[in-house]
Amino acid sequence: MEEKKKVMIDAGHGGTKDPGAVFEDRMEKDDTLRLALAVGRILEENGVNAVYTRSTDVYDTPYQKAEMGNEAGADYFVSLHRNAASEPGKGSGVMTLVYKTGRESEQLADSIQRELARTGYVDLGVIERPDLIVLRKTQMPAVLVEVGFIDNPEDNKRFDAQFDEIAAAVASGILNVIDDDMDRRPVEESDYYYQIQTGAYRIRSLAEQQLEELRRMGFPAFLVYDGTYFKLRVGAFKNLDNAVRMERELRKAGFPTVLLYEREVK
């Protein structure tokens, strides 16, 4: 039996020593813990081993958190935060930080960032931050996600009103990368075919919106429901070259893609 992928989820800040950014009566450490546990539950439901730097209101240094990920042998490290501006209310949106672009961590960052932007937040992109210990000292692909600005009332309103969707977006971003890794393994050609996935949603209406858009543009799209996510798939190809050509067309049309190798349904 193949070993589960392991993801270390870090709820940023913690304890009385480090509440993180504070706005009115709201503390970053509380939002990040709530989100970390929600993301972890979704990952577990999808066959991923989710582990945490903290599951209660405790403090550990960034170095200790990085070491937790290393000692656990995690495949990925995802640190969750809320942003803050120098002047309250002036910042808005989501961004994902990496130690350096051009590495495997950028693929993870891109995937999470795309999914979060679909929830309605302003997309601030993927940014290099080589000074952050949890990105520099971790031995696996690591990202730090800033989920909206805690000092912006509108970002907070979205965080609360769409909390389940936001948690699902972060989890989907992680699962997309895990699926990509798992589905590229060598397999028996006769039993498998290629598909292109363009998104995964917990909310059916969001998936159906993208499904309609894909079909309107002439792509042979359909939905796959795995019990948790409604996944957008395009095509079913025995020939890899045909699948790659379809993936290129989808990318040209502006869709994020993951090329999957799926077992044929008999």
Side-chain angles (χ1 to χ4, degrees), residues 140-187:
M140 71 293 296
V143 299
L144 188 150
V145 189
E146 298 277 13
V147 187
F149 282 69
I150 200 169
D151 56 4
N152 184 310
E154 289 302 313
D155 277 16
N156 286 339
K157 182 178 179 181
R158 186 181 301 280
F159 186 90
D160 294 334
Q162 298 176 226
F163 179 81
D164 288 344
E165 185 182 347
I166 289 165
V170 175
S172 291
I174 299 167
L175 290 167
N176 287 343
V177 173
I178 291 175
D179 287 346
D180 187 29
D181 178 51
M182 298 292 286
D183 289 319
R184 289 180 186 273
R185 292 169 297 156
V187 292

Side-chain angles (χ1 to χ4, degrees), residues 14-29:
T16 57
K17 184 176 181 178
D18 183 15
V22 178
F23 179 68
E24 296 176 346
D25 60 348
R26 188 171 194 136
M27 296 183 182
E28 183 180 2
K29 66 173 185 175

Side-chain angles (χ1 to χ4, degrees), residues 184 189 194 237-246 259 261:
R184 289 180 186 273
E189 292 290 336
Y194 297 95
F237 304 93
K238 283 291 187 181
N239 184 282
L240 176 59
D241 290 339
N242 293 337
V244 169
R245 279 193 288 271
M246 177 62 75
L259 184 61
Y261 212 22

Side-chain angles (χ1 to χ4, degrees), residues 98-217:
V98 296
Y99 174 74
K100 188 175 179 63
T101 57
R103 301 184 176 190
E104 190 177 352
S105 56
E106 186 179 7
Q107 180 188 8
L108 177 60
D110 283 339
S111 183
I112 294 173
Q113 187 69 19
R114 281 196 304 267
E115 297 296 335
L116 277 174
R118 290 192 180 113
T119 67
Y121 275 117
V122 176
D123 185 352
L124 300 177
V126 174
I127 300 170
E128 285 188 357
R129 283 290 302 274
D131 57 313
L132 297 179
I133 291 175
V134 293
L135 302 181
R136 180 159 51 91
K137 292 296 185 180
T138 39
Q139 297 169 358
M140 71 293 296
V143 299
L144 188 150
V145 189
E146 298 277 13
V147 187
F149 282 69
I150 200 169
D151 56 4
N152 184 310
E154 289 302 313
D155 277 16
N156 286 339
K157 182 178 179 181
R158 186 181 301 280
F159 186 90
D160 294 334
Q162 298 176 226
F163 179 81
D164 288 344
E165 185 182 347
I166 289 165
V170 175
S172 291
I174 299 167
L175 290 167
N176 287 343
V177 173
I178 291 175
D179 287 346
D180 187 29
D181 178 51
M182 298 292 286
D183 289 319
R184 289 180 186 273
R185 292 169 297 156
V187 292
E188 292 296 325
E189 292 290 336
S190 61
D191 294 334
Y192 286 78
Y193 57 88
Y194 297 95
Q195 290 181 344
I196 300 93
Q197 183 165 301
T198 63
Y201 301 86
R202 290 192 75 185
I203 300 173
R204 186 185 184 99
S205 61
L206 296 177
E208 289 176 341
Q209 287 176 18
Q210 189 182 120
L211 178 65
E212 182 180 351
E213 182 181 5
L214 285 161
R215 288 178 173 174
R216 187 171 62 247
M217 297 177 72

Side-chain angles (χ1 to χ4, degrees), residues 45-57:
E45 289 167 0
N46 283 270
V48 175
N49 184 7
V51 290
Y52 307 89
T53 59
R54 68 182 181 100
S55 57
T56 58
D57 186 20

Side-chain angles (χ1 to χ4, degrees), residues 49-118:
N49 184 7
V51 290
Y52 307 89
T53 59
R54 68 182 181 100
S55 57
T56 58
D57 186 20
V58 297
Y59 172 75
D60 290 291
T61 68
Y63 180 80
Q64 288 172 321
K65 291 183 174 189
E67 282 301 295
M68 289 179 196
N70 296 337
E71 291 171 4
D75 297 289
Y76 301 97
F77 186 101
V78 179
S79 184
L80 300 174
H81 288 254
R82 301 290 313 281
N83 217 334
S86 56
E87 185 178 346
K90 293 299 183 181
S92 178
V94 292
M95 67 174 67
T96 305
L97 312 180
V98 296
Y99 174 74
K100 188 175 179 63
T101 57
R103 301 184 176 190
E104 190 177 352
S105 56
E106 186 179 7
Q107 180 188 8
L108 177 60
D110 283 339
S111 183
I112 294 173
Q113 187 69 19
R114 281 196 304 267
E115 297 296 335
L116 277 174
R118 290 192 180 113

